[in-house]
Amino acid sequence: MTTARLPLFPLNSVLFPGLVLPLNVFEERYRAMMRDLLKSSPDSLADGGPDAVPDDGTQDDEARRFAVVAIRDGRETARTATGMPDDPTAMTEQGPAAGFGADPIQAFHRVGCIADAATIREREDGSFEVLATGTKRVKILSVDATGPYLVAELEELDEDPGDEAGALAEGVLRAFRAYQKRLAGAREATLTSAADLPDEPSVVSYLVAAATMLDTPTRQRLLQAPDTATRLREELTILRQETALIRHLPSIPAEALTRAPTCPN
């Protein structure tokens, strides 16, 4: 079992491996996290300036990793959206576990994703602009709230392809194109071409999970699927259902079909 101890960044959304995550970091606990991540980063990488050099897999790259986990509905009191402030002064509690209760791990889904922060840029007001990419799924084993921000002990999860993942990926891509076509109102010019889509089953499964308009519990269920084939099977069912729903409810904006109460972060 491969384990890691990393800073924990809870959000009201799900991060998938291979997907890009932009963050606007303004809360003090997460500012402290970013300051610590920058301590071992070369200046050119930290500020994302024109002289930035590419990641080379060194220890500095490892030091900019943190874990993203989705918050269970109704658990956080801080008023923010996905990395963006709604009202930064609305938090009534202070400290690393503010808004998450006495036992923070209970406020989070147990499967999350490691994020690699390629760019961390500090603004004049002390907030940060961060651009990270999901890399690997992890399971939360424990959460430490004794420092300035939450830190989690994590178990890295392997991606098992499962049975018939290749054939399922082909079916999911066909269903995804049909879904896109319905969303686009059959305007072919707006559709993703076949050349733009991947063919590796696990990549397909994560891309479709992120690109389909789903609520957080559904995305979380897809993230924690036991293998790629299971995730693809569920996505195939979801895509067919969503496509049929859009076809029968053409007057409803597509994004309204997936709106559900959730706790913002």
Side-chain angles (χ1 to χ4, degrees), residues 103-187:
D103 187 11
I105 194 172
Q106 301 303 324
F108 311 134
H109 290 282
R110 297 303 175 89
V111 175
C113 185
I114 291 177
D116 181 359
T119 302
I120 303 176
R121 180 182 292 110
E122 185 171 11
R123 301 190 182 97
E124 292 184 1
D125 64 359
S127 65
F128 289 87
E129 179 183 342
V130 179
L131 188 65
T133 302
T135 60
K136 193 173 184 64
R137 296 185 309 152
V138 287
K139 180 180 180 180
I140 301 178
L141 303 177
S142 63
V143 175
D144 180 1
T146 60
Y149 48 82
L150 298 177
V151 176
E153 188 75 19
L154 307 161
E155 175 189 353
E156 296 188 3
L157 300 177
D158 294 328
E159 183 69 21
D160 182 358
D163 297 331
E164 303 179 346
L168 285 164
E170 293 177 4
V172 166
L173 285 176
R174 287 194 297 270
F176 182 62
R177 292 188 190 101
Y179 169 79
Q180 282 189 308
K181 187 173 181 178
R182 285 292 175 186
L183 285 180
R187 292 190 298 272

Side-chain angles (χ1 to χ4, degrees), residues 191-244:
L191 303 182
T192 302
S193 69
D196 296 329
L197 294 171
D199 55 11
E200 203 286 317
S202 66
V203 177
V204 170
S205 74
Y206 290 131
L207 174 64
V208 170
T212 306
M213 288 187 289
L214 304 170
D215 58 20
T216 296
T218 302
R219 283 200 168 108
Q220 180 64 36
R221 191 168 66 248
L222 292 172
L223 177 69
Q224 61 192 42
D227 54 58
T228 303
T230 299
R231 185 179 305 112
L232 289 167
R233 286 191 185 94
E234 182 163 359
E235 288 171 349
L236 191 56
T237 298
I238 290 171
L239 287 168
R240 288 170 175 169
Q241 291 174 341
E242 291 297 307
T243 302

Side-chain angles (χ1 to χ4, degrees), residues 28-104:
E28 178 51 40
R29 51 184 166 179
Y30 303 125
R31 291 189 191 193
M33 179 190 299
M34 296 305 154
R35 287 194 293 267
D36 282 352
L37 289 177
L38 284 175
K39 285 180 181 178
S40 57
S41 298
D43 290 342
S44 58
L45 283 172
D47 64 18
D51 298 326
V53 297
D55 289 344
D56 57 6
T58 63
Q59 185 175 1
D60 288 324
D61 182 55
E62 291 293 309
R64 293 194 303 277
R65 297 193 309 164
F66 58 96
V68 172
V69 63
I71 304 166
R72 296 183 186 276
D73 282 352
R75 296 307 300 260
E76 192 191 23
T77 59
R79 294 281 302 165
T80 71
T82 307
M84 298 291 289
D86 198 14
D87 179 2
T89 65
M91 175 111 53
T92 57
E93 301 177 64
Q94 299 295 326
F100 300 129
D103 187 11

